[in-house]
Amino acid sequence: MATGTLTIDLDAICANWRAMDRATAASVQTAAVVKADAYGLGAARVARALAQAGARRFFVAATEEGAALRQILGPGPEISVLSGHMAGDTDMIGDLDLVPMLNSLDQITRHLETLPGRPFGIQLDTGMNRLGMEPDDWAAVAGIVLEARPQLLMSHLACSDMPDADLNLQQLDTFRALTDGLGIARSLSATGGILLGPDYHFDLTRPGIGLYGGDPFAQAQKVVTLSLPIIQTRMVEAGEYVGYAMGWQATAPTHVATLAAGYADGLPRALSGKATVWAGDIPCPVLGRVSMDMIAADISHLAEVPDALDILGPQQGVDDLAAIAGTIGYEILTSLGARYARRYVSGTSA
């Protein structure tokens, strides 16, 4: 094959969800965030596996994602939409039994007028200044909204991957001030918030990146392996160059492999001259620039030419690769290209 193979370990995703679930009290529900097509890994397979593992509530970013997920999961599991109730979403929300997390006065009005009596949640801004109702706006409408009985009051931590950040405690205090004593289920924490401890857990948690093997869940099982086929090899003599703009020059005869993947497949151009691919546990440096469809690697030290080299796997996870590129694991995962052959592994089946 002239495209890479992305192997996704569904058992590892489910094990990570169970670990997140065990990190909270039995009274705390553990949801699963499967937005962006399950962080690029394929919601059709990932969400089904998580439902079989015990997840009964799922979060997506947009109503369209919720509609697709309902077709995947069927009736039963609750699907919450973080962007709320946007104009034009009413039919999908109503017909497919989605639960919007309302973020503004306009969304509250839209939902209560067009879908009266249908479930909803409220998202509050506690200091991230990204999405959710401001405290003053919430104070103005809380009485009306609470009469309609929202299913959930939620907010989102801005610095949960920075345990010592003062903003974590500030947001916790604000969330409590806005929601204490209301008798409505509450949710503040995604993966990082779960790891901050019980004070942040409330009634429901929403792990996302931790399910997929990413930081800050350091104990997460690795989920993905990305193997890139070698499509050609050559000897490059001393003084010759490899790749665009003479990106790398050989100082000695070098056995170079050309691999089938590039920035069109989600490998950032920032990896140029910095990344490593792996033959088992043997590192092979990437040479020169990452181009649209190809990268080159030094395989001079390998006893045999393998069929493929791994850029993600046991030796190099998504956060390791992201650090090399100066980004985060989220971006690596969600950018993995459509050309890869996706292979799902669960138990002994693939």
Side-chain angles (χ1 to χ4, degrees), residues 84-340:
H85 188 155
M86 299 290 288
D89 287 351
T90 302
D91 288 343
M92 278 190 290
I93 290 171
D95 293 346
L96 298 173
D97 194 26
L98 307 179
V99 181
M101 298 292 107
L102 307 179
N103 297 293
S104 66
L105 297 176
D106 286 344
Q107 289 198 355
I108 290 171
T109 301
R110 180 179 299 120
H111 189 77
L112 296 184
E113 289 182 351
T114 62
L115 293 173
R118 300 302 293 270
F120 67 95
I122 295 290
Q123 185 160 190
L124 303 170
D125 177 51
T126 54
M128 191 173 189
N129 290 305
R130 187 182 68 170
L131 193 64
M133 298 191 67
E134 299 286 344
D136 288 347
D137 289 338
W138 172 239
V141 298
I144 297 171
V145 172
L146 292 173
E147 285 184 2
R149 300 304 296 172
Q151 288 191 355
L152 187 71
L153 302 176
M154 65 166 286
S155 190
H156 194 67
L157 295 166
C159 303
S160 63
D161 58 345
M162 303 163 60
D164 297 328
D166 291 339
L167 186 56
N168 290 322
L169 283 173
Q170 293 173 23
Q171 286 193 261
L172 177 62
D173 290 343
T174 300
F175 188 61
R176 284 174 169 161
L178 294 175
T179 62
D180 276 354
L182 298 181
I184 306 294
R186 296 182 284 179
S187 178
L188 181 61
S189 292
T191 299
I194 294 170
L195 300 175
L196 290 176
D199 286 348
Y200 292 83
H201 294 170
F202 292 94
D203 302 293
L204 180 142
T205 62
R206 315 180 310 270
I209 190 65
L211 306 182
Y212 308 103
D215 287 342
F217 185 24
Q219 286 74 45
Q221 293 188 23
K222 291 284 197 301
V223 169
V224 295
T225 300
L226 178 54
S227 300
L228 308 180
I230 294 175
I231 52 179
Q232 190 176 10
T233 66
R234 70 183 66 244
M235 290 303 302
V236 175
E237 300 301 326
E240 292 186 321
Y241 299 93
V242 171
Y244 282 119
M246 300 179 292
W248 180 83
Q249 184 177 27
T251 58
T254 306
H255 197 187
V256 175
T258 300
L259 310 176
Y263 55 76
D265 305 290
L267 303 182
R269 199 163 178 265
L271 295 172
S272 299
K274 301 176 183 178
T276 300
V277 290
W278 296 80
D281 59 358
I282 303 174
C284 301
V286 169
L287 307 176
R289 289 190 178 180
V290 175
S291 56
M292 181 178 286
D293 314 298
M294 288 170 279
I295 57 176
D298 183 357
I299 59 169
S300 304
H301 51 302
L302 300 184
E304 297 180 355
V305 176
D307 292 330
L309 297 171
D310 293 342
I311 196 164
L312 292 173
Q315 307 297 334
Q316 184 167 263
V318 293
D319 293 294
D320 301 317
L321 190 64
I324 296 168
T327 183
I328 57 175
Y330 295 75
E331 186 173 12
I332 296 294
L333 277 178
T334 57
S335 298
L336 294 174
R339 288 193 290 199
Y340 298 130

